[in-house]
Amino acid sequence: MIIRIMPLCSEIKLFHVHNPRCAGSAINKALYNAGYLKLNSLNPKDVDLERFYGVGNIDGEKLELDHLSISQILSRLNSKQIQNIHFFSTVRDPWDRFVSDFLRKKQRNDKRFINPTNLDLKEYLEIFLKKIVDKELFVRNQFDAAHFWPQEWFAEFSIHPDIKRYSILRFEELENEWENFQYKFGFNAPLPARKINASLPESKKISEDLKKTDLFKLFKDFYANDYKIFGYD
């Protein structure tokens, strides 16, 4: 189905492809507060098909619209719309992104794809590596699995020939890169103060220790393209 829409931020012709756990919510909030992201609210229950926002059942599938992959977005736009939009996304060190989402799920009791209850990071990683063996389920179930999808699905714009203009910002340098991005496109949308996950006491040490294990090698193998494409090797 083609949804004939305007870009997510039509005034400045920008489309934010929201890569999970890479400050995308802060970017959406900045654009919303500045009046460029014209939503009724940032509540995900308030679905807006025109601007790809919210959680809802669409064409028989439960989707988290602001975490659609590039391919899913392009399937809902026509060629003229795609070529007139400047797409952008943010990327992050793959392991830091994974750990951040583990902490988020713990704090919010989010049981999608992997239930983190009573798990430490090592146990959580072990379950993840088992679950991704079912690639069909991993790809098909966007609402549950999108936070684990490779970042290339959200930010590797160069493989999509219809996309003519794009930018990739780095989470680690986001404050400076967002300032430069605003200046380049002539808009003003300051980022809100960044919220830092309150680390679970054991997580930092376990995170570093896991990097020395075969489990981490398997993790890096799964996200090998992300490490290579975005320069996190």
Side-chain angles (χ1 to χ4, degrees), residues 10-151:
S10 54
E11 279 185 45
I12 47 181
K13 294 187 176 180
L14 293 176
F15 198 119
H16 173 213
V17 182
H18 186 173
N19 178 14
R21 303 312 299 162
C22 295
S25 294
I27 289 172
N28 282 345
K29 187 172 184 179
L31 293 168
Y32 175 79
N33 288 343
Y36 296 111
L37 181 50
K38 297 185 182 302
L39 300 168
N40 290 329
S41 77
L42 289 176
N43 187 332
K45 295 180 180 179
D46 199 352
V47 177
D48 188 328
L49 294 178
E50 290 190 2
R51 292 168 183 83
F52 292 84
Y53 196 86
V55 175
N57 289 300
I58 300 158
D59 297 337
E61 182 181 3
K62 189 171 186 179
L63 294 174
E64 191 168 8
L65 288 171
D66 61 323
H67 286 321
L68 295 181
S69 68
I70 297 170
S71 295
Q72 288 175 316
I73 291 166
L74 297 187
S75 73
R76 291 164 166 81
L77 295 170
N78 61 46
S79 294
K80 184 177 180 181
Q81 289 170 323
I82 295 167
Q83 292 172 10
N84 286 335
I85 297 169
H86 189 103
F87 291 83
F88 75 98
S89 189
T90 53
V91 295
R92 183 178 189 176
D93 176 89
W95 180 244
D96 289 347
R97 176 179 180 249
F98 183 82
V99 174
S100 173
D101 199 49
F102 167 71
L103 295 173
R104 178 195 66 85
K105 286 169 68 69
K106 280 278 196 181
Q107 291 166 354
R108 299 184 187 179
N109 195 30
D110 182 348
K111 299 178 182 178
R112 283 183 288 172
F113 198 67
I114 301 174
N115 181 351
T117 305
N118 298 325
L119 298 179
D120 65 19
L121 183 58
K122 179 176 180 291
E123 294 165 332
Y124 183 81
L125 176 59
E126 289 172 334
I127 293 172
F128 168 74
L129 293 170
K130 291 176 182 177
K131 289 188 72 96
I132 59 175
V133 172
D134 187 348
K135 292 184 179 179
E136 183 180 349
L137 175 63
F138 183 68
V139 172
R140 187 179 67 246
N141 195 349
Q142 187 264 358
F143 177 73
D144 282 346
H147 275 239
F148 301 93
W149 281 1
Q151 296 180 71

Side-chain angles (χ1 to χ4, degrees), residues 181-202:
F181 190 70
Q182 291 175 87
Y183 180 78
K184 178 179 179 180
F185 289 97
F187 71 96
N188 183 38
L191 289 173
R194 187 182 296 182
K195 293 181 180 179
I196 306 298
N197 277 335
S199 297
L200 301 176
E202 75 280 7

